[in-house]
């Protein structure tokens, strides 16, 4: 497994860019929300101890595909019921073995919160938003049955790599 853990930080663009610069040895990924132009996230995939104070730390349970951090990011949060754990494992085994992998999915991590084994974050990197939306609305998307907390549906947020900040002239 290449990526053993992920840490995330949310915040203002300038603060996150400063953190990205300070820890340039970690290859931190600055992401910009697709739906909110003022929402930014910093992703640390270095497998080192976190440098964020956010507490958003996850351990990798499954890694599907070749590591790729370019594309359309889907962050899918869901909470399993006790009896759904085997179902998730079965679905991920298929993907890991190359069966029923959604078209356009480049890379996927299934992560869980340490000490909260039924809370998950799935980070999917897609070729495009169209590939994501085609799969997400498809009857073949068995992951939609996993809700988030008391909700019947997962919580999904969308990001892309933040463009370089242009210097003011």
């Amino acid at each position: 497994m290449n990526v053993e853990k992920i840490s995330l930080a949310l915040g203002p663009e300038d603060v996150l860019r400063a953190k990205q610069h300070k820890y340039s040895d970690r290859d931190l990924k600055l992401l910009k929300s697709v739906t909110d132009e003022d929402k930014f996230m910093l992703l640390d995939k270095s497998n080192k101890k976190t440098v964020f104070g956010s507490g958003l730390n996850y351990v990798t349970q499954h890694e599907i595909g070749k590591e790729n951090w370019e594309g359309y990011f889907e962050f899918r949060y869901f909470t399993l019921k006790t009896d759904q754990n085997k179902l998730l494992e079965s679905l991920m085994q298929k993907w890991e073995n190359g069966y029923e992998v959604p078209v356009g999915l480049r890379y996927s991590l299934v992560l869980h919160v340490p000490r909260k084994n039924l809370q998950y974050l799935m980070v999917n990197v897609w070729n495009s938003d169209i590939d994501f939306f085609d799969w997400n609305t498809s009857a073949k998307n068995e992951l939609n049955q996993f809700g988030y907390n008391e909700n019947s549906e997962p919580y999904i947020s969308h990001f892309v790599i933040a463009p370089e900040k242009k210097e003011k002239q």
Side-chain angles (χ1 to χ4, degrees), residues 142-158:
E142 296 181 79
L143 294 176
N144 275 341
Q145 66 186 298
F146 304 133
Y148 181 63
N149 289 336
E150 301 300 318
N151 299 313
S152 61
E153 296 179 359
Y155 174 77
I156 301 172
S157 57
H158 311 271

Side-chain angles (χ1 to χ4, degrees), residues 47-167:
N47 294 327
K48 297 177 183 176
K49 185 177 178 184
T50 186
V51 293
F52 306 147
S54 63
L56 300 173
N57 305 307
Y58 301 88
V59 176
T60 303
Q61 188 165 325
H62 294 279
E63 185 174 27
I64 295 127
K66 186 176 177 186
E67 189 174 343
N68 187 325
W69 300 101
E70 298 295 326
Y72 185 84
F73 287 75
E74 167 201 3
F75 286 78
R76 175 179 293 261
Y77 298 86
F78 56 94
T79 307
L80 293 183
K81 296 177 180 143
T82 314
D83 60 341
Q84 292 178 317
N85 208 11
K86 288 182 182 175
L87 179 57
L88 176 65
E89 288 301 313
S90 171
L91 292 171
M92 292 304 98
Q93 289 282 319
K94 287 179 191 176
W95 285 20
E96 286 175 335
N97 292 321
Y99 298 108
E100 300 179 23
V101 176
V103 172
L105 181 65
R106 292 180 174 184
Y107 183 58
S108 182
L109 290 172
V110 178
L111 309 151
H112 71 273
V113 179
R115 298 175 303 283
K116 294 182 182 176
N117 288 335
L118 298 178
Q119 291 185 2
Y120 288 84
L121 167 60
M122 186 172 203
V123 179
N124 292 322
V125 183
W126 297 88
N127 286 331
S128 69
D129 58 345
I130 294 170
D131 288 330
F132 161 73
F133 286 111
D134 284 349
W135 172 75
N136 196 49
T137 56
S138 165
K140 292 182 180 180
N141 178 356
E142 296 181 79
L143 294 176
N144 275 341
Q145 66 186 298
F146 304 133
Y148 181 63
N149 289 336
E150 301 300 318
N151 299 313
S152 61
E153 296 179 359
Y155 174 77
I156 301 172
S157 57
H158 311 271
F159 287 83
V160 293
I161 295 287
E164 292 296 319
K165 195 166 187 176
K166 295 177 182 165
E167 297 294 324

